[in-house]
Amino acid sequence: MKRALRAAILAAFAATAAPAGTQPPFRTMPTPGVRHYLYEVIQTINGTTRKGYRTEFDLEAKGGALFATIRTTAELDQGAWKPVLSDAACRKAMSGTEARLARVQLYPLDPATAHSLGSSFLATCAPPAIFFPLTDILNVAIIPVSSAFRVGELRAVGETLAYPGFEAAFDRSGESIQETTHGGDVRLAALDPRRALIDWRPLPADITTVERSMQPPMTLRGKEHWAFRVEIDRRSGAIERASTSYDDLDLAIVGAPASVPHVRISRSVTIQRQ
């Protein structure tokens, strides 16, 4: 089950500018430059089925904007990582070159792009192994820079600030999603001379997803509960590491008898600077 349940919700905040006033004890917008990262997600479905992606990418901060460049990507296939490529036409449509598969702008995003993550974000021909990692990368990258999550208002270790709930819709790569969040909070978990640790903890979200890649299409409804911890270099604002603290879904198949087990998914995401 290929999914990006949070992407449209977080992207809806991606165009929001940082707040004015006193500065936090760490940078929230990275200093200009290119940084190299490795992304990996392992997804376990009902305790046995394992899927995942492994992606090498760059984050570039330039002129107050953030860009992601996908260099290589692979899909977990029977316990091994299988490289995923795209044809020349699709690579060009994704702003790819001989040296990269795709390049996208993460921040800021115009409202229409942020709402749907459609072709103005990334060409619709993009393989899932490129598109879905980008959704997690987007999520992590905008947590510090978007004022909607209030990270820029944190001042003291242990301080926690709430942000409001909202709704979003998503339709991409054979999957249609509607999600309603009920808010959440951010917390300054730790601060030392080099780094700041930020916990981003949404409340459980209500989700309806339609898997159109299946015949007939299958509708699932339930909840997702997740959190990320993001490590930021205090001086440069660069993300050093990010990982899920937890990410669990409990989905029921709409129209199925009560005896049919729920679809329970757990995801482990890590983003590590190289």
Side-chain angles (χ1 to χ4, degrees), residues 12-267:
F13 284 169
T16 311
T22 60
Q23 296 300 308
F26 51 89
R27 285 188 65 96
T28 55
M29 172 60 76
T31 55
V34 178
R35 284 104 180 174
H36 310 295
Y37 295 87
L38 177 66
Y39 162 94
E40 185 172 299
V41 59
I42 300 295
Q43 181 172 285
T44 304
I45 304 173
N46 287 351
T48 56
T49 303
R50 288 169 60 84
K51 297 185 177 183
Y53 300 115
R54 178 180 284 174
T55 304
E56 295 182 18
F57 73 98
D58 299 333
L59 284 180
E60 180 181 7
K62 181 180 179 181
L66 293 177
F67 302 88
T69 296
I70 302 298
R71 291 184 282 121
T72 67
T73 193
E75 186 170 12
L76 190 62
D77 182 19
Q78 297 182 349
W81 293 105
K82 179 181 178 181
V84 175
L85 300 173
S86 61
D87 60 47
C90 186
R91 183 180 289 214
K92 182 178 180 180
M94 296 186 295
S95 300
T97 65
E98 291 185 1
R100 71 190 190 206
L101 296 174
R103 177 176 168 83
V104 301
Q105 182 165 323
L106 302 179
Y107 176 91
L109 295 178
D110 65 81
T113 298
H115 178 73
S116 66
L117 292 185
S119 59
S120 58
F121 175 71
L122 180 68
T124 56
C125 65
I130 292 177
F131 176 71
F132 287 106
L134 274 171
T135 64
D136 277 321
I137 293 166
L138 169 64
N139 295 345
V140 167
I142 68 171
I143 289 169
V145 302
S146 172
S147 65
F149 295 120
R150 305 185 66 190
V151 168
E153 299 177 43
L154 294 170
R155 297 293 180 271
V157 174
E159 183 177 9
T160 300
L161 297 173
Y163 61 85
F166 45 92
E167 296 182 358
F170 180 89
D171 194 341
R172 182 72 185 245
S173 294
E175 191 172 31
S176 176
I177 297 167
Q178 291 182 322
E179 185 165 8
T180 301
T181 72
H182 305 284
D185 63 48
V186 292
R187 183 172 74 99
L188 181 55
L191 193 66
D192 64 30
R194 186 185 66 81
R195 65 176 185 166
L197 289 181
I198 307 298
D199 287 331
W200 176 69
R201 306 178 297 189
L203 294 170
D206 299 320
I207 297 169
T208 299
T209 176
V210 180
E211 296 284 347
R212 296 194 310 277
S213 59
M214 305 183 70
Q215 293 300 325
M218 182 172 64
T219 299
L220 301 98
R221 186 171 294 132
K223 290 185 177 292
E224 181 179 18
H225 194 201
W226 74 92
F228 267 94
R229 170 162 285 190
V230 182
E231 178 182 334
I232 301 172
D233 183 284
R234 288 185 64 178
R235 293 184 178 180
S236 70
I239 292 172
E240 294 293 319
R241 177 181 169 82
S243 60
T244 45
S245 304
Y246 48 83
D247 189 349
D248 300 304
L249 293 98
D250 186 346
L251 303 173
I253 301 172
V254 175
S259 58
V260 174
H262 285 199
V263 178
R264 291 186 168 88
I265 302 170
S266 62
R267 299 174 74 242

